[in-house]
Amino acid sequence: MTFRSLGRPAPSTTRPAPRPSPTTWLQRVIPVFLLVALMWVSEIVDLSTPLRLDQYGIRPRDPSHLVGIVLSPFLHLGFGHLLANSISLLALGSMLALSTRHLWLVTVGVIVLGGAGVWLFAGPNTVHIGASGVVYGYAAFLAVYGFVARRLGSAAVGLLVIVVYGSMVWGVLPLREGVSWQGHLFGALAGAALAVALGRRDRAARRI
């Protein structure tokens, strides 16, 4: 017969994952503030110089103005227009940055895909400017992503967005003259499509 002394259990070498510090949270939302700051700089330049930057917005089906797809979110029709978009961008962009790691991918995807939709399908002889398409893209992404990825925290953020920003759905309809409902619509569609694609990818990666 043999025996083995149990003694004291060896100390565990596994440590709990550290919680994100306030500094980490700040680092994650800084890009959102930089994007909005760039919009303010471009609007100041537009209004204080003879450059007329608004002409570089999206001109549907005009091959010479494809650059407008990228530039249009940074151009606005005055400070009132810019302020309204800035508040929503800061709120939704911060939620996106803090609840996922897809801020840049979603931002670029919404700008390019949503802008391409406006360029292809919006009415002729029009110029589309403003970041409201990005706002709609962020909102749609946040509303869908958590449910597709099956992440409780992100789904809770999605429910909050639906409750607070649900009335935005009327903006995708042609109800107000002079408002680019096409920008809203295609921005939202781009955000929702990215949410489905990235949500499925993240869910599959978590299983592996």
Side-chain angles (χ1 to χ4, degrees), residues 146-192:
F147 298 99
V148 177
R150 295 183 183 176
R151 291 184 172 179
L152 183 60
S154 296
V157 172
L159 286 174
L160 176 64
V161 170
I162 292 171
V163 170
V164 176
Y165 291 93
S167 61
M168 287 174 54
V169 68
W170 301 108
V172 304
L173 302 175
L175 301 177
R176 293 177 57 189
E177 186 177 356
V179 174
S180 179
W181 62 271
Q182 299 96 333
H184 300 168
L185 174 62
F186 289 109
L189 290 176

Side-chain angles (χ1 to χ4, degrees), residues 58-66 117-126:
I58 298 175
R59 296 176 182 261
R61 292 171 299 284
D62 185 344
S64 65
H65 282 79
L66 282 171
V118 174
W119 189 86
L120 287 170
F121 299 108
N125 302 317
T126 57

Side-chain angles (χ1 to χ4, degrees), residues 5 17 20 48 55 86 91 101 109 111 118 134 143 166 168 194 196 199-200:
S5 175
S48 61
Q55 65 180 311
S86 295
R101 296 190 178 275
I111 289 175
V118 174
V134 180
M168 287 174 54
L194 288 165
V196 171
R200 287 176 175 174

Side-chain angles (χ1 to χ4, degrees), residues 15-200:
R15 296 180 179 179
R19 294 182 179 180
S21 67
T23 303
T24 303
W25 295 343
L26 181 60
Q27 290 172 344
R28 292 175 69 173
V29 301
I30 281 177
V32 182
F33 284 82
L34 292 177
L35 283 171
V36 174
L38 183 57
M39 294 175 189
W40 279 86
V41 170
S42 65
E43 189 61 21
I44 292 171
V45 171
D46 179 54
L47 295 178
S48 61
T49 69
L51 292 178
R52 296 178 61 239
L53 296 180
D54 289 351
Q55 65 180 311
Y56 298 107
I58 298 175
R59 296 176 182 261
R61 292 171 299 284
D62 185 344
S64 65
H65 282 79
L66 282 171
V67 69
I69 292 175
V70 176
L71 297 181
S72 62
F74 301 94
L75 308 174
H76 290 81
L77 195 63
F79 288 121
H81 184 204
L82 174 57
L83 180 61
N85 281 335
S86 295
I87 294 171
S88 296
L89 276 174
L90 290 174
L92 293 168
S94 295
M95 283 191 279
L96 175 55
L98 293 173
S99 62
T100 77
R101 296 190 178 275
H102 300 312
L103 174 66
W104 285 115
L105 184 56
V106 173
T107 301
V108 173
V110 167
I111 289 175
V112 174
L113 297 176
V118 174
W119 189 86
L120 287 170
F121 299 108
N125 302 317
T126 57
V127 180
H128 298 253
I129 60 175
S132 54
V134 180
V135 171
Y136 273 76
Y138 281 177
F141 180 90
L142 289 168
V144 174
Y145 171 80
F147 298 99
V148 177
R150 295 183 183 176
R151 291 184 172 179
L152 183 60
S154 296
V157 172
L159 286 174
L160 176 64
V161 170
I162 292 171
V163 170
V164 176
Y165 291 93
S167 61
M168 287 174 54
V169 68
W170 301 108
V172 304
L173 302 175
L175 301 177
R176 293 177 57 189
E177 186 177 356
V179 174
S180 179
W181 62 271
Q182 299 96 333
H184 300 168
L185 174 62
F186 289 109
L189 290 176
L194 288 165
V196 171
L198 294 174
R200 287 176 175 174

